[in-house]
Amino acid sequence: MMRVAIVIRARAPYLRDLQEALANELLTGELHLLWPANEDSDFKDDSATPTGKNVTIHAIQSCPVLGPRFPSSDLWSTLNTIQPDIVWIHEFSPFTLGGLLYAKRQAIPVVESTEVGRGNAHFFSFTVRAWHFLWSHLIDGVIANAPAARQSLCGENHAVVDAFHAVDSRRFAPVLSDRDHDAPVTFVV
């Protein structure tokens, strides 16, 4: 039985379908989602929360000493109880690094889902780029949520699975000379 632990800083509706699809493919396996009990996301309703008979949600308390962005020891305790076969983190944050470090300590493969990569790094702050460069050396694979994320900032060739949740609208740009510049532009995909 495969057990997958997803450590995520905040729920989001654009990840729900991917998480539920994975849960459905596990058949006899388990999908565990771990996020902060004090989650600061705009998406707290059912549209962002995956469901399924093999999906378990774990709200992890924050560290009382370090603050709300950092997980307490409950994260590692919960992961020890789950005994995952793989850990999936979404982006690098103080919360998700707890899952990454747990996986490395236990010699469990860890994958990161991300929109950040070499092709779009210039759109992100120095801090985001530095975190991705540093911590992506420890991951075993990438779930690329955007085409640019296929190439990690650390330069390593990780195993990659494409799971784009956005459209690169540059591919659908209108011909500017054939339109009224004051008219709205509608993209249809």
Side-chain angles (χ1 to χ4, degrees):
M1 172 175 66
M2 171 73 80
R3 289 177 302 275
V4 178
I6 301 177
V7 181
I8 189 166
R9 184 190 61 78
R11 291 173 280 183
Y14 54 83
L15 292 173
R16 178 186 172 185
D17 290 341
L18 179 60
Q19 294 162 347
E20 286 182 349
L22 176 59
N24 289 335
E25 289 298 317
L26 289 174
L27 301 176
T28 62
E30 301 171 355
L31 182 68
H32 295 267
L33 278 93
L34 300 90
W35 57 61
N38 63 331
E39 175 187 24
D40 61 348
S41 171
D42 294 333
F43 309 111
K44 293 187 179 182
D45 60 9
D46 292 339
S47 71
T49 306
T51 59
K53 63 179 174 37
N54 59 346
V55 176
T56 305
I57 307 297
H58 306 271
I60 304 298
Q61 295 301 314
S62 296
C63 177
V65 176
L66 297 175
R69 296 183 65 189
F70 294 86
S72 67
S73 60
D74 291 348
L75 178 61
W76 279 34
S77 296
T78 303
L79 288 168
N80 270 331
T81 301
I82 296 168
Q83 295 189 343
D85 297 297
I86 188 167
V87 173
W88 164 5
I89 63 170
H90 180 66
E91 300 295 358
F92 294 113
S93 71
F95 187 83
T96 61
L97 287 180
L100 171 67
L101 296 175
Y102 172 86
K104 289 292 115 183
R105 181 176 167 92
Q106 301 296 323
I108 299 169
V110 60
V111 297
E112 180 213 12
S113 56
T114 184
E115 294 88 16
V116 181
R118 284 191 172 192
N120 65 358
H122 60 284
F123 291 117
F124 296 93
S125 70
F126 172 78
T127 305
V128 170
R129 292 191 315 264
W131 271 63
H132 276 264
F133 176 80
L134 175 69
W135 296 110
S136 61
H137 285 286
L138 296 179
I139 62 173
D140 300 297
V142 173
I143 301 170
N145 294 145
R150 299 188 96 248
Q151 293 181 313
S152 176
L153 287 182
C154 74
E156 294 183 20
N157 290 322
H158 296 109
V160 176
V161 172
D162 291 333
F164 306 151
H165 60 234
V167 173
D168 183 354
S169 62
R170 293 173 296 189
R171 295 178 51 203
F172 301 98
V175 177
L176 297 178
S177 61
D178 291 349
R179 71 177 193 92
D180 177 3
H181 290 287
D182 293 329
V185 176
T186 303
F187 294 100
V188 179
V189 182

